[in-house]
Amino acid sequence: MDSVLIKKRFWGFVQKTNDCWIWIGQKTSTGYGDFRYGHSNRIKAHRYSFQLKNGRAPTGFVLHKCDNPVCVNPKHLYEGTAKDNAQDCTKKGRH
């Protein structure tokens, strides 16, 4: 599938607000956006949004500043380690 068509398809599942950009497509059992493209390719929607914004795949975790698992607003996303993810989870009371 052409990368332009993949991007167009991705953004078709996003409802932009003044704050979070909400993924309205399929979700994982843990509540994150699940973007499927091609016959067998899939990626969490927030990771794909990070990749589009930064021009590269994340090497670690992609965390949400907004603590909203369906948000794909690149301004709300940042890359971190497993330790960063665990600390963020504890700080936000999700442990």
Side-chain angles (χ1 to χ4, degrees), residues 63-78:
L63 292 82
H64 290 86
K65 295 176 188 175
C66 59
D67 202 31
N68 184 354
V70 293
C71 180
V72 296
N73 184 340
K75 292 180 181 178
H76 293 190
L77 305 175
Y78 65 101

Side-chain angles (χ1 to χ4, degrees), residues 11 14-22:
W11 292 116
V14 177
Q15 183 179 53
K16 292 183 180 180
T17 71
N18 291 332
D19 191 29
C20 290
W21 296 0
I22 307 302

Side-chain angles (χ1 to χ4, degrees), residues 2 10-11 14 18 25 27 29-30 34 54-55 57-58 69-70 82 84-85:
D2 179 272
F10 175 82
W11 292 116
V14 177
N18 291 332
K27 295 170 187 68
S29 61
T30 54
D34 186 26
N54 295 289
V70 293
D84 296 329
N85 191 48

Side-chain angles (χ1 to χ4, degrees), residues 36-90:
R36 295 175 187 233
Y37 58 97
H39 292 290
S40 60
N41 298 319
R42 65 191 294 180
I43 186 172
K44 286 184 179 171
H46 67 290
R47 291 183 66 85
Y48 187 72
S49 179
F50 176 93
Q51 186 172 318
L52 289 175
K53 166 75 171 152
N54 295 289
R56 64 174 177 81
T59 57
F61 288 76
V62 176
L63 292 82
H64 290 86
K65 295 176 188 175
C66 59
D67 202 31
N68 184 354
V70 293
C71 180
V72 296
N73 184 340
K75 292 180 181 178
H76 293 190
L77 305 175
Y78 65 101
E79 191 170 14
T81 64
K83 182 179 178 181
D84 296 329
N85 191 48
Q87 288 174 337
D88 184 59
C89 180
T90 299

